[in-house]
Amino acid sequence: VCRTINFCNKVERMSDKFSFDVFLSHSSQDDDVAVALAKRLTDDGLRVWIDNWDMSAGDVVVAKVHEAFDRSRKIVLLMSAHGFSSDWVKAEIDTLIGEDPMNQAKRLCPLRLDDSPVPSELKRFHYIPWLPGDRTSGSRYQQVLKACRPCRILLATPEEGLIRRLEEVQGYLYQ
């Protein structure tokens, strides 16, 4: 029997706090890309919050989005001309950057959908290209999946005293 220990960063150690692995921040004009990505991530076992699936008639939008944002381990930002002109996306960016300006908790995962100019507050963050040709690339999707998966390390039983295997590790432990 193995026990699971999450220790890749502070946020992931507080795994009980999170109901979702991924919050997809996007403009409604990018719904097709967002929904397609949400389906792929869900098929790979991640819990994804996307407004198209998780909002109901009568929901107070600001409250629902704020709650989902706080209950999501990763914020995948779909960066595009549409997103950069969306008041909702701007508010989500401002919230995340206000809470963690240097992304030390590694919650932000930006994906670039087009070649529109990136706003200055986002230029300091590395992004994953998610241009139309990238969306069908298995290796590009694996980068997204790796960035979004929880970091879990399975340790052997104390009697064995050795690390049996590493599973779902996001690159190096201290990335």
Side-chain angles (χ1 to χ4, degrees):
V1 175
C2 291
R3 56 190 172 98
T4 303
I5 299 175
N6 288 327
F7 65 91
C8 288
N9 63 44
K10 270 196 250 181
V11 172
E12 290 182 19
R13 277 187 249 150
M14 299 182 290
S15 60
D16 293 342
K17 173 183 174 180
F18 301 114
S19 304
F20 302 98
D21 295 308
V22 174
F23 175 101
L24 276 174
S25 175
H26 69 287
S27 163
S28 60
Q29 293 176 300
D30 294 321
D31 272 348
D32 55 336
V33 176
V35 169
L37 179 59
K39 286 178 182 173
R40 286 178 83 175
L41 292 170
T42 301
D43 287 348
D44 279 314
L46 297 181
R47 299 163 301 162
V48 177
W49 191 94
I50 181 171
D51 58 355
N52 305 48
W53 297 349
D54 296 294
M55 297 279 291
S56 301
D59 283 343
V60 177
V61 177
V62 173
K64 191 81 171 183
V65 168
H66 187 267
E67 177 188 2
F69 194 86
D70 287 344
R71 305 277 304 161
S72 298
R73 196 175 41 75
K74 294 284 184 177
I75 310 302
V76 173
L77 171 63
L78 300 186
M79 299 192 311
S80 70
H82 302 303
F84 297 144
S85 64
S86 163
D87 290 336
W88 283 107
V89 173
K90 286 178 191 173
E92 291 162 2
I93 292 168
D94 289 346
T95 299
L96 185 60
I97 291 176
E99 290 175 1
D100 186 4
M102 298 309 292
N103 198 29
Q104 291 179 335
K106 302 286 188 211
R107 284 186 76 200
L108 176 63
C109 177
L111 305 185
R112 191 162 187 183
L113 303 188
D114 60 27
D115 290 325
S116 60
V118 175
S120 59
E121 67 268 21
L122 293 172
K123 286 184 179 179
R124 66 179 169 256
F125 302 112
H126 180 72
Y127 62 84
I128 298 172
W130 199 246
L131 301 167
D134 297 317
R135 295 174 200 156
T136 56
S137 165
S139 63
R140 197 64 83 194
Y141 175 69
Q142 288 303 313
Q143 283 183 292
V144 175
L145 188 59
K146 179 179 170 184
C148 294
R149 276 197 168 140
C151 183
R152 287 192 206 133
I153 307 232
L154 296 181
L155 299 177
T157 59
E159 297 80 43
E160 294 172 8
L162 298 173
I163 294 177
R164 185 185 312 178
R165 62 183 181 147
L166 297 176
E167 181 175 281
E168 298 179 15
V169 175
Q170 298 174 347
Y172 296 103
L173 295 178
Y174 300 104
Q175 243 179 349

